[in-house]
PDB file of all heavy atoms in Angstrom:
ATOM      1  N   SER A 135      -7.568 -15.766  47.004  1.00  0.00           N
ATOM      2  CA  SER A 135      -6.386 -15.527  47.831  1.00  0.00           C
ATOM      3  C   SER A 135      -5.527 -16.775  47.942  1.00  0.00           C
ATOM      4  O   SER A 135      -4.344 -16.702  48.260  1.00  0.00           O
ATOM      5  CB  SER A 135      -6.817 -15.070  49.234  1.00  0.00           C
ATOM      6  OG  SER A 135      -7.662 -16.046  49.831  1.00  0.00           O
ATOM      7  N   GLN A 136      -6.102 -17.948  47.696  1.00  0.00           N
ATOM      8  CA  GLN A 136      -5.345 -19.187  47.765  1.00  0.00           C
ATOM      9  C   GLN A 136      -4.673 -19.446  46.425  1.00  0.00           C
ATOM     10  O   GLN A 136      -5.283 -19.315  45.369  1.00  0.00           O
ATOM     11  CB  GLN A 136      -6.262 -20.361  48.127  1.00  0.00           C
ATOM     12  CG  GLN A 136      -6.849 -20.258  49.522  1.00  0.00           C
ATOM     13  CD  GLN A 136      -7.698 -21.472  49.852  1.00  0.00           C
ATOM     14  OE1 GLN A 136      -8.108 -22.209  48.959  1.00  0.00           O
ATOM     15  NE2 GLN A 136      -7.960 -21.669  51.130  1.00  0.00           N
ATOM     16  N   ARG A 137      -3.405 -19.837  46.473  1.00  0.00           N
ATOM     17  CA  ARG A 137      -2.661 -20.088  45.261  1.00  0.00           C
ATOM     18  C   ARG A 137      -2.508 -21.584  45.043  1.00  0.00           C
ATOM     19  O   ARG A 137      -2.155 -22.318  45.955  1.00  0.00           O
ATOM     20  CB  ARG A 137      -1.291 -19.430  45.335  1.00  0.00           C
ATOM     21  CG  ARG A 137      -1.330 -17.926  45.540  1.00  0.00           C
ATOM     22  CD  ARG A 137       0.034 -17.314  45.374  1.00  0.00           C
ATOM     23  NE  ARG A 137       1.035 -17.959  46.208  1.00  0.00           N
ATOM     24  CZ  ARG A 137       2.345 -17.712  46.130  1.00  0.00           C
ATOM     25  NH1 ARG A 137       2.785 -16.849  45.238  1.00  0.00           N
ATOM     26  NH2 ARG A 137       3.199 -18.322  46.926  1.00  0.00           N
ATOM     27  N   GLU A 138      -2.753 -21.986  43.822  1.00  0.00           N
ATOM     28  CA  GLU A 138      -2.598 -23.390  43.468  1.00  0.00           C
ATOM     29  C   GLU A 138      -1.425 -23.515  42.499  1.00  0.00           C
ATOM     30  O   GLU A 138      -1.465 -22.993  41.387  1.00  0.00           O
ATOM     31  CB  GLU A 138      -3.872 -23.930  42.825  1.00  0.00           C
ATOM     32  CG  GLU A 138      -3.769 -25.391  42.433  1.00  0.00           C
ATOM     33  CD  GLU A 138      -5.032 -25.894  41.779  1.00  0.00           C
ATOM     34  OE1 GLU A 138      -6.052 -25.174  41.851  1.00  0.00           O
ATOM     35  OE2 GLU A 138      -4.997 -26.988  41.187  1.00  0.00           O
ATOM     36  N   LYS A 139      -0.388 -24.193  42.930  1.00  0.00           N
ATOM     37  CA  LYS A 139       0.788 -24.335  42.086  1.00  0.00           C
ATOM     38  C   LYS A 139       0.483 -25.209  40.882  1.00  0.00           C
ATOM     39  O   LYS A 139      -0.233 -26.198  40.968  1.00  0.00           O
ATOM     40  CB  LYS A 139       1.937 -24.945  42.896  1.00  0.00           C
ATOM     41  CG  LYS A 139       3.240 -25.060  42.112  1.00  0.00           C
ATOM     42  CD  LYS A 139       4.351 -25.621  42.978  1.00  0.00           C
ATOM     43  CE  LYS A 139       5.633 -25.812  42.178  1.00  0.00           C
ATOM     44  NZ  LYS A 139       6.724 -26.383  43.004  1.00  0.00           N
ATOM     45  N   VAL A 140       1.030 -24.824  39.742  1.00  0.00           N
ATOM     46  CA  VAL A 140       0.847 -25.581  38.508  1.00  0.00           C
ATOM     47  C   VAL A 140       2.100 -26.398  38.252  1.00  0.00           C
ATOM     48  O   VAL A 140       3.198 -25.841  38.112  1.00  0.00           O
ATOM     49  CB  VAL A 140       0.584 -24.642  37.311  1.00  0.00           C
ATOM     50  CG1 VAL A 140       0.504 -25.445  36.012  1.00  0.00           C
ATOM     51  CG2 VAL A 140      -0.691 -23.844  37.525  1.00  0.00           C
ATOM     52  N   GLU A 141       1.950 -27.699  38.226  1.00  0.00           N
ATOM     53  CA  GLU A 141       3.066 -28.594  37.925  1.00  0.00           C
ATOM     54  C   GLU A 141       3.141 -28.769  36.413  1.00  0.00           C
ATOM     55  O   GLU A 141       2.215 -29.263  35.778  1.00  0.00           O
ATOM     56  CB  GLU A 141       2.873 -29.956  38.606  1.00  0.00           C
ATOM     57  CG  GLU A 141       2.800 -29.884  40.125  1.00  0.00           C
ATOM     58  CD  GLU A 141       4.125 -29.471  40.763  1.00  0.00           C
ATOM     59  OE1 GLU A 141       5.164 -29.526  40.055  1.00  0.00           O
ATOM     60  OE2 GLU A 141       4.122 -29.086  41.947  1.00  0.00           O
ATOM     61  N   ILE A 142       4.246 -28.370  35.844  1.00  0.00           N
ATOM     62  CA  ILE A 142       4.414 -28.429  34.395  1.00  0.00           C
ATOM     63  C   ILE A 142       4.613 -29.875  33.954  1.00  0.00           C
ATOM     64  O   ILE A 142       5.361 -30.632  34.568  1.00  0.00           O
ATOM     65  CB  ILE A 142       5.615 -27.567  33.960  1.00  0.00           C
ATOM     66  CG1 ILE A 142       5.382 -26.109  34.378  1.00  0.00           C
ATOM     67  CG2 ILE A 142       5.834 -27.664  32.450  1.00  0.00           C
ATOM     68  CD1 ILE A 142       6.617 -25.248  34.291  1.00  0.00           C
ATOM     69  N   ALA A 143       3.930 -30.254  32.879  1.00  0.00           N
ATOM     70  CA  ALA A 143       4.048 -31.606  32.337  1.00  0.00           C
ATOM     71  C   ALA A 143       4.545 -31.534  30.900  1.00  0.00           C
ATOM     72  O   ALA A 143       4.376 -30.521  30.211  1.00  0.00           O
ATOM     73  CB  ALA A 143       2.693 -32.313  32.388  1.00  0.00           C
ATOM     74  N   ALA A 144       5.172 -32.616  30.453  1.00  0.00           N
ATOM     75  CA  ALA A 144       5.644 -32.683  29.076  1.00  0.00           C
ATOM     76  C   ALA A 144       4.479 -32.455  28.125  1.00  0.00           C
ATOM     77  O   ALA A 144       3.415 -33.052  28.272  1.00  0.00           O
ATOM     78  CB  ALA A 144       6.283 -34.040  28.802  1.00  0.00           C
ATOM     79  N   GLY A 145       4.656 -31.553  27.170  1.00  0.00           N
ATOM     80  CA  GLY A 145       3.587 -31.232  26.232  1.00  0.00           C
ATOM     81  C   GLY A 145       2.861 -29.944  26.550  1.00  0.00           C
ATOM     82  O   GLY A 145       2.184 -29.381  25.685  1.00  0.00           O
ATOM     83  N   ASP A 146       2.961 -29.457  27.798  1.00  0.00           N
ATOM     84  CA  ASP A 146       2.359 -28.169  28.143  1.00  0.00           C
ATOM     85  C   ASP A 146       3.050 -27.048  27.369  1.00  0.00           C
ATOM     86  O   ASP A 146       4.241 -27.129  27.055  1.00  0.00           O
ATOM     87  CB  ASP A 146       2.475 -27.892  29.640  1.00  0.00           C
ATOM     88  CG  ASP A 146       1.470 -28.684  30.459  1.00  0.00           C
ATOM     89  OD1 ASP A 146       0.469 -29.135  29.881  1.00  0.00           O
ATOM     90  OD2 ASP A 146       1.705 -28.847  31.674  1.00  0.00           O
ATOM     91  N   LYS A 147       2.302 -25.991  27.111  1.00  0.00           N
ATOM     92  CA  LYS A 147       2.868 -24.849  26.391  1.00  0.00           C
ATOM     93  C   LYS A 147       2.688 -23.590  27.233  1.00  0.00           C
ATOM     94  O   LYS A 147       1.568 -23.208  27.559  1.00  0.00           O
ATOM     95  CB  LYS A 147       2.187 -24.689  25.037  1.00  0.00           C
ATOM     96  CG  LYS A 147       2.461 -25.847  24.073  1.00  0.00           C
ATOM     97  CD  LYS A 147       1.716 -25.671  22.763  1.00  0.00           C
ATOM     98  CE  LYS A 147       2.115 -26.742  21.757  1.00  0.00           C
ATOM     99  NZ  LYS A 147       1.771 -28.118  22.222  1.00  0.00           N
TER     100      LYS A 147
END
Side-chain angles (χ1 to χ4, degrees):
S135 58
Q136 294 182 342
R137 301 190 307 172
E138 180 181 347
K139 183 178 177 181
V140 176
E141 299 292 345
I142 300 167
D146 283 340
K147 294 178 174 62

